[in-house]
């Protein structure tokens, strides 16, 4: 059998010919133009679209003045279940407002993030939602200011989700959560169970998310009268491997001088639990472990993890609401966190029951 190559993609002219209407009429129907078109003609065009499996060309729509209805989300990584939870809520909320959602990863690189946003600006996205903690430098502030003003100049909007806001004069919106208070609440919970030496496996010490949690940890240690030994605070990456390696190294060095671990997030906690298990230590009978985020890893470990719940779904939906509102009454929204008590925390051996 002869190979005729890939089938030719249908064009707007094919749709018009099949529907027996002009190209202009077909274009008006597909672009959602306010120009009056009879229901009969509209039905003929849509029937032709279905029969020809026609896919509109986004670039052609842009050139014709029809604005794509798109909300874009950019995060440092796609493999994070926390980012995925936010992305899912953005997708759902966008669909409820007749918008498509694009999701891109900057892989944690500032320049990549800037390039992605520049591309989205050229594509006339309705809004760009940037998610996750950052390193708060003067260069970062200047870059976010340029991005916000650049998007606003084309009628788009910047929403910062889970990262620091900008000067109130800058056209940007912020959705945050009480990060430090969540850490404070977890340390208070551990203290209430009798723990006095809590090891905090923190995130990167230059990252805003990690540092907010350190602030909450230190404040609770002081208020609850716990041991403020500086060696009980260790910085590292937000990853399962980092939690595993830091816990393993500490145990191998004979430094089992803590009764509980408060991890930077649930991934770090799951790595710590693995290292404890390999060392023959039981959770929570020997060492208690708590996490942060309340993402999938908190339920994937044994025992299920006590953690701090971040309202990821509400964050995504709030970001979309701020992105699309005609005149938002607020530019900064701060959401609450709360502890989810499961089975990974118990009193220390020999402590109160």
């Amino acid at each position: 059998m002869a190979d005729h190559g890939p089938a030719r993609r249908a064009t707007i002219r094919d749709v018009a010919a099949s529907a027996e209407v002009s190209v202009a009429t077909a274009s008006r129907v597909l672009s959602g133009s306010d120009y009056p078109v009879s229901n009969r003609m509209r039905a003929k065009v849509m029937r032709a679209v279905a029969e020809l499996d026609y896919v509109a060309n986004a670039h052609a729509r842009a050139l014709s003045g029809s604005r794509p209805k798109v909300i874009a989300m950019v995060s440092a990584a796609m493999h994070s279940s926390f980012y995925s939870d936010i992305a899912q809520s953005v997708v759902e909320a966008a669909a409820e407002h007749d918008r498509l959602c694009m999701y891109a990863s900057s892989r944690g690189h500032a320049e990549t993030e800037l390039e992605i946003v520049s591309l989205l600006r050229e594509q006339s996205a309705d809004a760009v939602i940037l998610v996750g903690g950052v390193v708060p430098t003067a260069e970062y502030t200047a870059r976010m200011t340029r991005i916000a003003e650049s998007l606003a100049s084309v009628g788009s909007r910047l929403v910062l989700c889970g990262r620091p806001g900008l000067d109130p004069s800058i056209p940007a919106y912020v959705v945050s959560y009480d990060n430090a208070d969540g850490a404070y609440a977890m340390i208070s919970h551990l203290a209430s169970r009798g723990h006095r030496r809590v090891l905090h496996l923190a995130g990167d010490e230059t990252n805003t998310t990690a540092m907010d949690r350190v602030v909450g940890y230190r404040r609770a240690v002081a208020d609850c009268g716990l041991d403020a030994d500086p060696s009980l605070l260790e910085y590292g990456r937000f990853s399962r491997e980092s939690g595993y390696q830091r816990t393993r190294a500490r145990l191998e060095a004979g430094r089992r001088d803590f009764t509980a671990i408060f991890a930077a997030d649930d991934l770090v906690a799951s790595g710590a639990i693995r290292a404890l298990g390999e060392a023959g230590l039981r959770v929570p009978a020997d060492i208690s472990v708590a996490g942060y985020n309340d993402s999938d890893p908190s339920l994937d470990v044994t025992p299920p993890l006590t953690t701090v719940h971040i309202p990821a779904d509400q964050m995504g939906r709030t970001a979309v609401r701020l992105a699309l509102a005609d005149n938002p009454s607020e530019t900064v929204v701060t959401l609450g966190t709360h502890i989810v008590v499961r089975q990974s925390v118990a009193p220390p051996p020999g402590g109160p029951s």
Side-chain angles (χ1 to χ4, degrees):
M1 182 179 294
D3 183 5
H4 297 291
R8 183 178 71 87
R9 177 175 289 182
T11 68
I12 186 68
R13 294 185 181 278
D14 296 326
V15 171
S18 178
E20 298 180 332
V21 299
S22 68
V23 171
T25 296
S27 179
R28 288 169 185 144
V29 171
L30 296 176
S31 68
S33 168
D34 293 332
Y35 191 90
V37 177
S38 71
N39 291 336
R40 183 178 65 82
M41 284 189 175
R42 190 179 302 277
K44 290 173 67 176
V45 170
M46 297 312 296
R47 184 164 53 249
V49 166
E51 291 173 350
L52 296 173
D53 194 24
Y54 172 74
V55 178
N57 185 296
H59 297 288
R61 287 203 308 270
L63 289 172
S64 69
S66 176
R67 181 187 174 106
K69 294 183 176 181
V70 173
I71 291 177
M73 172 176 155
V74 183
S75 67
M78 289 186 172
H79 64 270
S80 164
S81 59
F82 174 61
Y83 289 154
S84 296
D85 288 345
I86 295 177
Q88 182 61 36
S89 65
V90 169
V91 169
E92 293 172 357
E96 291 168 6
H97 289 85
D98 193 28
R99 274 17 179 223
L100 295 176
C101 181
M102 296 175 60
Y103 185 16
S105 170
S106 66
R107 296 175 295 166
H109 299 151
E111 286 307 311
T112 301
E113 182 177 79
L114 184 58
E115 291 170 1
I116 292 171
V117 174
S118 296
L119 177 61
L120 294 169
R121 177 183 181 276
E122 293 173 5
Q123 296 296 318
S124 299
D126 286 316
V128 176
I129 301 171
L130 302 182
V131 182
V134 295
V135 179
T137 62
E139 191 280 330
Y140 161 79
T141 300
R143 178 164 51 88
M144 285 297 103
T145 298
R146 291 197 307 271
I147 287 175
E149 293 176 341
S150 175
L151 290 170
S153 70
V154 294
S156 186
R157 190 172 286 173
L158 175 66
V159 181
L160 304 175
C161 196
R163 61 169 63 183
L166 303 173
D167 185 275
S169 65
I170 305 303
Y173 297 80
V174 179
V175 181
S176 63
Y177 54 94
D178 53 1
N179 199 5
D181 286 350
Y184 184 97
M186 182 57 76
I187 298 305
S188 299
H189 174 67
L190 292 170
S192 73
R193 302 307 305 272
H195 295 279
R196 290 294 173 264
R197 290 184 61 84
V198 180
L199 171 63
H200 182 25
L201 298 179
D204 184 341
E205 61 183 324
T206 62
N207 181 279
T208 53
T209 298
M211 291 311 300
D212 281 348
R213 292 174 191 178
V214 169
V215 167
Y217 164 79
R218 284 175 168 161
R219 183 157 50 89
V221 164
D223 289 353
C224 296
L226 307 189
D227 194 330
D229 183 350
S231 71
L232 290 174
L233 173 60
E234 292 189 5
Y235 293 101
R237 292 178 294 111
F238 284 98
S239 73
R240 181 179 282 109
E241 184 63 19
S242 177
Y244 171 76
Q245 292 295 348
R246 282 186 278 168
T247 304
R248 178 181 175 182
R250 195 173 184 102
L251 294 174
E252 288 181 345
R255 298 171 61 205
R256 187 185 158 189
D257 55 352
F258 53 92
T259 61
I261 293 175
F262 171 47
D265 68 5
D266 297 339
L267 280 174
V268 175
S270 68
I273 289 174
R274 176 187 163 201
L276 291 170
E278 290 181 358
L281 296 172
R282 300 163 299 165
V283 176
D286 298 315
I287 301 288
S288 291
V289 179
Y292 207 117
N293 286 1
D294 194 21
S295 53
D296 287 346
S298 66
L299 296 174
D300 291 341
V301 295
T302 302
L305 188 66
T306 290
T307 186
V308 178
H309 175 79
I310 300 175
D313 179 78
Q314 192 178 356
M315 287 182 72
R317 289 185 172 277
T318 302
V320 172
R321 175 174 63 80
L322 292 178
L324 298 179
D326 290 335
N327 293 294
S329 59
E330 50 197 350
T331 58
V332 178
V333 176
T334 302
L335 305 175
T337 57
H338 63 266
I339 293 176
V340 178
V341 177
R342 296 193 178 106
Q343 290 132 41
S344 64
V345 171
S353 59

